[in-house]
Amino acid sequence: MDKKVILTGIRANNNLTLGNYLGAMLPIIEMAKSRSDNYQVNMFIPDLHSFTTPIDHSKLYEQIIDAARLFIAAGLPTKSANILMYRQSYIPAHSELTWILDCFTGMGELSRMTQYKDKSAGSADDRISVGLFNYPVLMAADILLYNASYIPVGDDQTQHLEFTRDIAERFNAQFGNIFTLPAPLKSQREFFSQEKGIRIKDLVDPSKKMSKSDDSNKGVIFLSDTPAEVKKKIMSATTDSIGVINYDHENQPGISNLLDIYSMVSGKDIKNISAEFTGKTNYGELKKAVADEVVRLIEDLQSKLDKISKAQAVEFLEFSEKAANDQANSILLYAQIAVGLRSKAK
Ligand code: ATP
Ligand code: MG
C-alpha cells in the first residue's frame, strides 16, 4: 500500500434526515471524490458494531444493502480503485484482531471510556453487553488493519482514537513495528478542517439540531418524505417576529437555518443567498424557495435510488470486500506471527 488511507465508518440506517444527508453523507462522498487521487478511501459499514445495544435484527441485512444503495444514488463513485465500501463482518480479520488486541487491553482502560460510561449509565450490569464494553477494541482493529492514517471521528469518538494509538504503541513496543499509528488528533483535525459540515437545525425548534430520533418528527425532514410532507414541514418552520430576513443565527435562528438549508441544497454560497434575501420582509417567499429546492433534491435522490438495484450494491460491496480482505489479512498475519500464532518462516 503506497497511498495513505482515510477510513470512515458509515452507519446503516434507513431513516436518514436531511441533516444526515447534508451534514454527513454528501461531505463524505465529496471527500472520497476529492481525496481519492492521492489517498485510498476506505468506507466501511460497521455491521458488527451495530448491535452493541439492542436492535431489530430482522431488518439489519436489508438496511446495510440499502445504505450502500443510497451512497451510490447520492453519487459515490463505484469504479475507482481507490474508493472501497465494505461490510465489516465480511472481513473476518476484524474479529480476529479484536480478540488478539483484547488480550493486551486492560479492563480499567475500557471502563474509563466516556462513551461506554454514558451509554451504560443507569442500566443493570447484566443488561450491558460485553460488546458495548469491548467496542473500542473492535474500532482499533477497524483502523489498524488498514494502516489507516486519517479517520474523521466526532467528539464522542476521539477517546477511542486515542485508545487505538495507545494499543498500537503498546503492541509495537512489545513486538516491533507491526501497526501504523493513526495520525494524532491535532493532525486529524487539520486534515479534515475544510470538510466540516454545517449543522442543520430542527425546523420547529431551531435551537437544537435536526435529529432522526427526535420525539416529534414535525421539525425533521426525512429523505423518504413525500413532497407534500416536505412542503408542509418547511412552510410551518418556526421563524421569529422580527419581520426582516437577516442571516443572524443568534437573533434569527429559524430564518438562518432556512438560509443554510437553501444554500446547501442549491449549492449556492451562503453569502449570495443572504444577499438575495437580506432585508426582504416576506418569510413565506423564503420558505417557498427553500421548500422547492428541498423537494427537488429529495425527488431526484429518490428517483436515483429507485434505479440502483440491490444486486448492483452487492456487486460493489463484494468487489471492495475482496480488496479489503487482502489488505486486512496481510496486517493480521503480522500480528499473528508476532504473538506466536503463525510461523515466522515464509
Ligand atoms: P440520532 O438522533 O440517533 O443521534 P442523528 O440524526 O443525530 O441520529 P447521527 O446518527 O447521530 O444522526 O449522526 C450521523 C451523522 O450525521 C453524523 O456524522 C452527524 O454529524 C451527522 N448529522 C446528524 N444530524 C445532523 C444535522 N442536523 N446536521 C448536520 N449533520 C448532522
Ligand atoms: Mg445524533
Side-chain angles (χ1 to χ4, degrees):
M1 267 182 284
D2 35 357
K3 288 193 163 73
K4 285 201 172 183
V5 175
I6 302 173
L7 177 119
T8 181
I10 306 295
R11 266 205 274 168
N13 197 300
N14 277 354
N15 219 16
L16 291 185
T17 69
L18 185 66
N20 300 141
Y21 180 77
L22 298 175
M25 262 186 90
L26 275 194
I28 287 174
I29 292 172
E30 281 312 310
M31 185 273 286
K33 282 187 188 161
S34 66
R35 298 282 197 180
S36 58
D37 287 344
N38 302 313
Y39 294 86
Q40 184 189 319
V41 181
N42 283 15
M43 304 171 49
F44 75 106
I45 303 177
D47 53 355
L48 292 170
H49 279 301
S50 66
F51 47 95
T52 53
T53 52
I55 60 159
D56 180 353
H57 291 268
S58 68
K59 297 205 176 106
L60 180 59
Y61 185 82
E62 292 296 317
Q63 277 175 345
I64 289 164
I65 304 297
D66 284 341
R69 286 176 59 230
L70 190 58
F71 267 86
I72 300 171
L76 182 72
T78 58
K79 299 278 185 260
S80 159
N82 294 327
I83 301 177
L84 301 179
M85 188 176 204
Y86 51 89
R87 292 163 287 188
Q88 185 185 35
S89 75
Y90 280 71
I91 323 294
H94 289 241
S95 306
E96 302 225 1
L97 184 61
T98 298
W99 178 258
I100 294 174
L101 296 179
D102 268 342
C103 299
F104 295 87
T105 302
M107 292 286 287
E109 208 172 8
L110 289 187
S111 310
R112 285 191 291 276
M113 294 291 153
T114 47
Q115 206 189 44
Y116 168 72
K117 287 198 270 186
D118 290 350
K119 289 201 172 180
S120 59
S123 304
D125 273 358
D126 276 345
R127 297 240 157 220
I128 303 163
S129 76
V130 175
L132 182 67
F133 183 71
N134 200 27
Y135 162 103
V137 184
L138 178 56
M139 181 166 155
D142 297 337
I143 295 169
L144 298 175
L145 281 171
Y146 303 91
N147 288 334
S149 298
Y150 297 108
I151 303 104
V153 292
D155 290 340
D156 55 339
Q157 297 289 337
T158 55
Q159 205 185 9
H160 298 167
L161 190 70
E162 293 293 2
F163 166 74
T164 302
R165 287 173 52 86
D166 290 347
I167 181 92
E169 228 166 5
R170 189 179 316 150
F171 203 88
N172 286 351
Q174 186 169 349
F175 298 108
N177 273 339
I178 308 289
F179 298 124
T180 301
L181 266 60
L185 265 178
K186 194 167 166 279
S187 333
Q188 301 271 353
R189 294 222 164 101
E190 282 161 11
F191 185 83
F192 290 112
S193 64
Q194 297 97 19
E195 278 142 16
K196 258 205 143 70
I198 214 160
R199 288 262 166 243
I200 302 297
K201 300 295 187 334
D202 187 276
L203 294 170
V204 174
D205 178 359
S207 69
K208 61 179 197 189
K209 88 175 180 73
M210 189 180 278
S211 203
K212 63 179 160 327
S213 49
D214 192 67
D215 311 332
S216 132
N217 287 335
K218 290 204 184 94
V220 182
I221 294 179
F222 290 96
L223 298 181
S224 55
D225 279 350
T226 64
E229 285 168 326
V230 171
K231 253 182 220 142
K232 188 161 172 228
K233 287 175 184 174
I234 293 177
M235 294 313 288
S236 27
T238 304
T239 52
D240 53 63
S241 52
I242 294 175
V244 183
I245 295 173
N246 285 302
Y247 186 61
D248 173 356
H249 271 283
E250 201 167 314
N251 298 307
Q252 298 191 267
I255 289 290
S256 304
N257 186 39
L258 290 173
L259 291 169
D260 276 334
I261 295 175
Y262 191 42
S263 156
M264 293 185 81
V265 174
S266 65
K268 292 185 204 162
D269 199 88
I270 186 70
K271 289 196 194 86
N272 299 339
I273 302 281
S274 308
E276 190 182 324
F277 283 97
T278 299
K280 291 199 177 166
T281 51
N282 191 340
Y283 287 0
E285 202 181 306
L286 170 64
K287 284 179 170 177
K288 194 174 170 313
V290 177
D292 286 348
E293 286 289 340
V294 176
V295 164
R296 194 172 325 155
L297 173 111
I298 288 188
E299 279 184 330
D300 179 54
L301 187 64
Q302 288 174 354
S303 93
K304 284 183 178 144
L305 186 61
D306 284 344
K307 294 190 190 88
I308 311 288
S309 67
K310 290 189 195 292
Q312 194 179 336
V314 170
E315 191 188 332
F316 176 42
L317 290 168
E318 287 180 346
F319 164 82
S320 299
E321 282 150 8
K322 209 160 172 287
N325 266 305
D326 286 346
Q327 292 172 12
N329 285 338
S330 74
I331 306 279
L332 176 65
L333 183 59
Y334 288 129
Q336 288 172 319
I337 293 171
V339 299
L341 291 171
R342 295 289 182 274
S343 159
K344 278 194 191 90
K346 258 278 174 182

